[in-house]
Amino acid sequence: MGIMANPMAAHHQKSPSFSVLPSSLSDFHGARLHAQVQYKRKVMQPKGALHVTASANKNILVMGGTRFIGIFLSRLLVKEGHQVTLFTRGKAPVTQQLPGESDADYADFKSKVLHLKGDRKDFDFVKSSLSAAGFDVVYDINGREAVEVEPILDALPKLEQFIYCSSAGVYLKSDLLPHFEVDAVDPKSRHKGKLETESLLASKDVNWTSIRPVYIYGPLNYNPVEEWFFHRLKAGRPIPIPNSGIQITQLGHVKDLATAFVQVLGNEKASQQVFNISGEKYVTFDGLAKACAKAGGFPEPEIVHYNPKEFDFGKKKPFPFRDQHFFASVEKAKSVLGWKPEFDLVEGLTDSYNLDFGRGTFRKEADFSTDDIILGKSLVLQA
């Protein structure tokens, strides 16, 4: 397969809603750069991990890419030499400089990534814009329902691969853990839409791969996973943990997840396969509180255990994790893909703290109202 000279040139004519951010793409599509990318691939071919077709540069669509996972994934894809388009509603900035990212790296990324603005629930727009662009690969990071995926498949009959971000939340609750990819799933789970999407993909004539993360953490995390603990540690408050605190769970760093998403690209071993992705080790709730303290350089926290049944918290969530054992095996991804997480838990939490909360940035303000109910006291706000 030859290398396309400038695949986006046609897109600009067909679909005016594409925008290049903000400088020219001529260098990116020039043969000189392509030659370098091809040469680099030959030299640095990872062992057994990512075998790509002769034309390694793919025209890739990322559904969602401005919140968390997609931000890190799109960086890796652009560095690999792919043409990346982010499909978003345009409500958030299409690109933002990552904490710790050099100005040069950010400028390079910003100049190469493209944006397609639209609502994925506007199925007619999805069909017309995607078929005009003719993408090779779709990464669906924010799809929640099968009905949102069908128009994408209809628009791209020659799609080489559909890579889906599912969730380990689809597994049926079990006394036998960890969850393996072949385990029973729960059609009534909160993530049943993701389960239905996996079924849809399996029923279609499409090369798909599904990734099931457990709890994801890392810089820019919009779910209060590590941030919930950091708020309490910074305020010097006790950490209320339900029941015994020895419930076992599992966290995976967003950068390790992004790496896994790249390793399934063009990988025949990933065809029509599901992979759990998370950290290698499991951790107790109490252990997580201590790991967060270590990561942020705080003293070991005071942990207060409580029985949730004794309280009425209304609609507020007093704790960010499901109150049960919940963890999955990542052995399949390790053996089949050759993937291995780079971060252990304390290293990963340190990375998250140093690049985010430790810089004074967070997604949600601290809310200690449920803590105060548990601790049975109201703290007087100090001026």
Side-chain angles (χ1 to χ4, degrees):
M1 286 163 68
I3 296 161
M4 296 193 301
N6 188 345
M8 289 317 293
H11 301 176
H12 285 296
Q13 291 158 9
K14 290 179 186 168
S15 179
S17 52
F18 273 94
S19 56
V20 182
L21 304 174
S23 67
S24 161
L25 280 167
S26 56
D27 289 344
F28 183 58
H29 286 297
R32 183 178 58 76
L33 187 70
H34 274 305
Q36 286 176 352
V37 171
Q38 296 280 316
Y39 174 69
K40 180 177 151 231
R41 282 192 169 276
K42 267 182 216 157
V43 175
M44 297 176 63
Q45 187 71 358
K47 287 178 190 154
L50 184 60
H51 296 293
V52 276
T53 50
S55 172
N57 310 92
K58 299 294 182 193
N59 184 11
I60 296 176
L61 176 69
V62 177
M63 300 296 291
T66 56
R67 278 189 94 188
F68 185 37
I69 304 167
I71 292 176
F72 291 95
L73 170 61
S74 55
R75 289 295 193 288
L76 291 182
L77 292 171
V78 167
K79 276 184 182 157
E80 288 267 332
H82 303 292
Q83 175 60 74
V84 176
T85 301
L86 306 179
F87 185 107
T88 80
R89 290 173 299 176
K91 291 189 174 177
V94 177
T95 67
Q96 55 172 309
Q97 191 162 0
L98 291 175
E101 182 177 37
S102 73
D103 292 346
D105 279 354
Y106 175 57
D108 183 58
F109 173 74
K110 193 173 177 179
S111 71
K112 288 171 183 173
V113 74
L114 299 171
H115 182 222
L116 182 52
K117 182 180 175 181
D119 184 339
R120 69 176 296 160
K121 291 181 179 169
D122 179 350
F123 299 151
D124 290 336
F125 174 76
V126 168
K127 283 182 191 173
S128 59
S129 58
L130 269 53
S131 56
F135 296 101
D136 302 320
V137 175
V138 172
Y139 278 97
D140 191 352
I141 302 302
N142 63 5
R144 295 189 175 276
E145 305 295 335
V147 69
E148 300 170 354
V149 171
E150 204 143 13
I152 299 172
L153 302 178
D154 291 345
L156 299 166
K158 293 181 181 171
L159 189 66
E160 291 176 26
Q161 194 175 12
F162 189 99
I163 302 168
Y164 186 59
C165 186
S166 183
S167 167
V170 302
Y171 291 113
L172 188 66
K173 193 172 174 178
S174 171
D175 293 327
L176 297 173
L177 292 163
H179 292 295
F180 287 95
E181 290 85 350
V182 293
D183 285 357
V185 288
D186 181 3
K188 295 179 184 160
S189 89
R190 195 164 64 83
H191 300 283
K192 66 178 187 292
K194 290 192 178 285
L195 205 51
E196 286 158 6
T197 302
E198 288 181 345
S199 299
L200 171 75
L201 292 168
S203 73
K204 295 277 186 182
D205 183 23
V206 60
N207 175 29
W208 59 272
T209 305
S210 184
I211 302 281
R212 293 177 181 167
V214 187
Y215 287 111
I216 310 163
Y217 73 105
L220 307 178
N221 192 2
Y222 56 85
N223 281 327
V225 173
E226 65 271 52
E227 184 177 289
W228 186 91
F229 291 93
F230 290 152
H231 271 311
R232 282 149 184 81
L233 290 162
K234 188 181 179 202
R237 293 179 59 108
I239 297 185
I241 289 180
N243 294 309
S244 68
I246 59 171
Q247 303 91 314
I248 296 170
T249 193
Q250 183 183 26
L251 281 70
H253 196 289
V254 66
K255 292 173 189 171
D256 287 329
L257 177 60
T259 303
F261 270 118
V262 173
Q263 283 188 312
V264 300
L265 175 62
N267 189 335
E268 286 174 11
K269 294 175 182 173
S271 181
Q272 299 183 324
Q273 294 295 318
V274 173
F275 296 97
N276 295 329
I277 296 291
S278 194
E280 284 186 285
K281 287 231 174 181
Y282 315 133
V283 65
T284 63
F285 289 167
D286 283 5
L288 180 54
K290 292 171 191 171
C292 285
K294 215 175 265 186
F298 297 103
E300 183 151 322
E302 179 194 346
I303 293 171
V304 175
H305 295 125
Y306 65 96
N307 179 354
K309 289 177 181 161
E310 292 174 9
F311 295 92
D312 178 10
F313 298 112
K315 294 206 167 154
K316 289 200 168 175
K317 260 178 97 172
F319 192 66
F321 293 80
R322 49 177 79 186
D323 183 12
Q324 65 182 73
H325 294 311
F326 178 50
F327 51 98
S329 167
V330 296
E331 288 308 311
K332 180 178 174 182
K334 286 166 67 181
S335 61
V336 174
L337 303 173
W339 170 85
K340 188 170 171 37
E342 177 192 345
F343 293 97
D344 73 22
L345 186 61
V346 173
E347 280 171 352
L349 288 167
T350 304
D351 177 76
S352 180
Y353 186 84
N354 290 345
L355 294 178
D356 202 347
F357 196 92
R359 297 182 176 210
T361 54
F362 48 82
R363 310 297 90 71
K364 292 184 176 124
E365 292 285 343
D367 177 0
F368 302 129
S369 56
T370 55
D371 298 41
D372 290 342
I373 295 170
I374 293 160
L375 300 170
K377 60 185 177 187
S378 290
L379 295 176
V380 179
L381 290 175
Q382 298 183 349

